């Protein structure tokens, strides 16, 4: 037996809610007359479910009913341990309320049922979520390559740029200065008959290099000096 005393309130549509105080280690629920709590409604199975006492409460189980059993909107499955003020649903239309007996001593059954139903409605109907306007589509920005400024560089406006001197082109070769052709060597004059050979003429000096070649007049030939005749030897 649990330490606290609990009651079940069965609310059949069209009838006043009925209070059933729980006692013993196990209580059955169903449409059949042999159940601890009989619910005569066609939607409830003959052996619909059962309550088993725990240390502090009761555990409800479904005995394979046709329309199932739920606690606070969720199927019981293999069993659910009940908490005070839980709402049980047999099938789809028969609500049952698990309430501590001490509360029913101070509060009318109808008020307790109305309070549990009001809380169940607030839990089952979630508040509508606030609809936020969709953010406008943002075009992806085109990333430009970052330019690293040169140390000490300054910004110069176009109108401040003055034309500089033209870039030096390749050096032109100096015009070749024509050199004078060397003078042809003069041949010695043939010896005159009966006289000595004339002295060779002095060589002319080489012409200096000048833009326009000039020829210097050759020096006049030295006069020929006749040699004295040798007297004939005796006997010639």
């Amino acid at each position: 037996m649990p330490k606290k005393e609990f009651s079940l309130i069965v609310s059949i549509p069209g009838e006043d809610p009925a209070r059933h105080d729980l006692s013993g280690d196990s209580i059955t629920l169903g449409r059949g007359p042999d159940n601890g709590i009989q619910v005569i409604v066609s939607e409830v199975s003959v052996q619909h479910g059962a309550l088993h006492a725990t240390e502090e409460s009761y555990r409800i189980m479904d005995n394979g009913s046709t329309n199932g059993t739920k606690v606070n909107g969720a199927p019981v499955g293999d069993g659910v341990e009940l908490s005070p003020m839980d709402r049980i649903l047999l099938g789809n239309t028969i609500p049952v309320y698990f309430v501590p007996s001490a509360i029913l001593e101070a509060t009318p059954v109808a008020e307790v049922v109305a309070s549990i139903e009001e809380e169940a409605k607030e839990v089952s109907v979630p508040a509508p979520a606030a609809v936020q306007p969709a953010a406008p589509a943002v075009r992806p920005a085109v990333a430009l390559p970052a330019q690293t400024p040169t140390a000490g560089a300054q910004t110069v406006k176009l109108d401040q740029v003055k034309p500089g001197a033209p870039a030096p082109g390749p050096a032109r070769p100096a015009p070749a200065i024509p050199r004078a052709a060397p003078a042809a060597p003069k041949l010695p004059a043939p010896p005159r008959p009966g006289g000595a050979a004339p002295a060779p003429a002095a060589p002319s000096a080489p012409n200096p290099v000048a833009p326009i070649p000039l020829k210097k007049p050759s020096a006049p030939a030295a006069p020929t000096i006749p040699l004295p005749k040798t007297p004939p030897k005796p006997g010639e």
Side-chain angles (χ1 to χ4, degrees):
M1 288 288 297
K3 295 180 181 180
K4 296 181 180 180
E5 294 182 357
F6 293 92
S7 301
L8 280 184
I9 300 175
V10 180
S11 180
I12 299 176
E15 300 181 8
D16 293 335
R19 173 181 173 178
H20 301 273
D21 295 330
L22 303 178
S23 61
D25 294 334
S26 181
I27 303 98
T28 58
L29 300 170
R31 192 175 70 246
D34 55 345
N35 289 285
I37 299 176
Q38 185 181 16
V39 182
I40 307 175
V41 178
S42 59
E43 191 173 348
V44 178
S45 298
V46 175
Q47 296 291 333
H48 196 96
L51 295 171
H52 301 284
T54 63
E55 185 177 356
E56 295 292 337
S57 180
Y58 281 88
R59 184 180 184 85
I60 187 170
M61 300 183 67
D62 187 272
N63 291 337
S65 64
T66 302
N67 298 309
T69 304
K70 297 178 182 180
V71 174
N72 298 328
V76 299
D78 296 334
V80 174
E81 185 167 350
L82 297 172
S83 298
M85 314 303 284
D86 276 349
R87 182 178 187 271
I88 304 166
L89 189 64
L90 303 178
N92 297 318
T93 58
I94 309 302
V96 179
Y97 308 97
F98 182 74
V99 183
S101 300
I103 294 178
L104 294 176
E105 297 298 333
T107 308
V109 172
E111 291 184 11
V112 173
V113 170
S115 175
I116 296 175
E117 286 292 337
E118 186 66 25
E119 185 177 354
K121 289 179 181 180
E122 294 178 359
V123 173
S124 60
V125 180
V131 179
Q132 298 181 355
V138 179
R139 295 183 179 180
V142 180
L144 298 177
Q147 297 181 355
T148 304
T150 308
Q154 297 180 355
T155 304
V156 180
K157 296 182 179 180
L158 295 178
D159 56 357
Q160 296 178 354
V161 179
K162 296 181 179 180
R172 297 182 178 180
I177 299 175
R179 295 186 178 182
K186 294 183 178 182
L187 299 178
R192 296 180 179 180
S204 60
N207 297 329
V209 177
I212 300 175
L214 298 176
K215 292 184 179 181
K216 291 184 178 182
S218 59
T224 303
I225 302 173
L227 297 177
K229 296 183 179 182
T230 305
K233 294 180 180 183
E236 291 183 354

